[in-house]
Each structure stands twice: as structure tokens, then as C-alpha cells.
Amino acid sequence: MPDWRILRVTCDSPDHEKREVAKFWDGNYFEMTRSRLASPWDGERYGFSAAFIGNICIGTTSYTVSRRGQGILSQVHTEPTFRNKGVASATLRDALAAYRELGARTVYLAAWSDWIR
């Protein structure tokens, strides 16, 4: 059994959880993440499936569902020392469950790096 747990971090989550999931991003990604965690844009539902050990986030996958039911999966990250331990698989599985619960009709991957695609 892993020593981490999965939490869903949304605009309703405590500030320390929001800071933890945002710490992996910089520049425009940081500003967009911070803004969406303050208040989702245009009726979308946005959050992170995040792996935590105690109060420290070690991995994330973000999920977005638009008002029309279109899902976007992005911001997949695992701290290097926790890679190859199932963290990304767990956050991805939870994000997919969130899409089902939120009624997403379709989901696509938004990725900048070729190795992610």
C-alpha cells in the first residue's frame, strides 16, 4: 500500500492544498492554475487529482470540464524521487473518475512535450 493518498483539489479546497498543487507550475501555467483554483472560468469545473504525503503534494493531474461537457486532461507531474511508484497512474485514474462523475462527454489530452503524448 502506498504511503501517499489522492485528494481532489478544487476552488473549494484549503489554501495550503491549492499552493501545493500550484508549486509545480511557473509562468502562464502558474497564473492560470492560481486563477482557476480561485474561481473556475466561465462555468467550467476544474481541479486536480493530487497525490499527497501528509501536507506535501508529490504528483498531480488536472481535470477540466467545460459547460458543454468537454474535458481537458493536463498538468501531469510527479516529483522525480517518486517516479515509477504508481503516483501518475493513480492521479490519472482519479482524474478519469472525476470526468465520469462530472458528466464529461469527451476528454482530450493537452500536452506540450512529445514524450507525454
Side-chain angles (χ1 to χ4, degrees), residues 58-70:
I58 61 167
T60 65
T61 297
S62 75
Y63 56 89
T64 306
V65 179
S66 73
R67 288 182 304 159
R68 295 181 303 199
Q70 181 171 343

Side-chain angles (χ1 to χ4, degrees), residues 14-99:
D15 286 340
H16 73 276
E17 291 176 4
K18 294 178 193 180
R19 281 192 302 275
E20 278 296 306
V21 297
K23 73 182 179 183
F24 300 120
W25 316 109
D26 58 18
N28 288 338
Y29 263 117
F30 174 78
E31 290 304 322
M32 289 185 303
T33 299
R34 189 180 59 75
S35 172
R36 286 171 141 168
L37 286 173
S39 177
W41 300 349
D42 195 27
E44 73 180 9
R45 286 156 296 169
Y46 176 79
F48 283 88
S49 293
F52 276 80
I53 293 178
N55 289 324
I56 306 298
C57 184
I58 61 167
T60 65
T61 297
S62 75
Y63 56 89
T64 306
V65 179
S66 73
R67 288 182 304 159
R68 295 181 303 199
Q70 181 171 343
I72 304 167
L73 183 129
S74 63
Q75 294 177 277
V76 179
H77 177 78
T78 302
E79 277 290 329
T81 57
F82 292 97
R83 291 184 181 158
N84 298 310
K85 298 180 191 251
V87 173
S89 294
T91 61
L92 285 164
R93 271 192 308 274
D94 189 71
L96 292 173
Y99 288 121

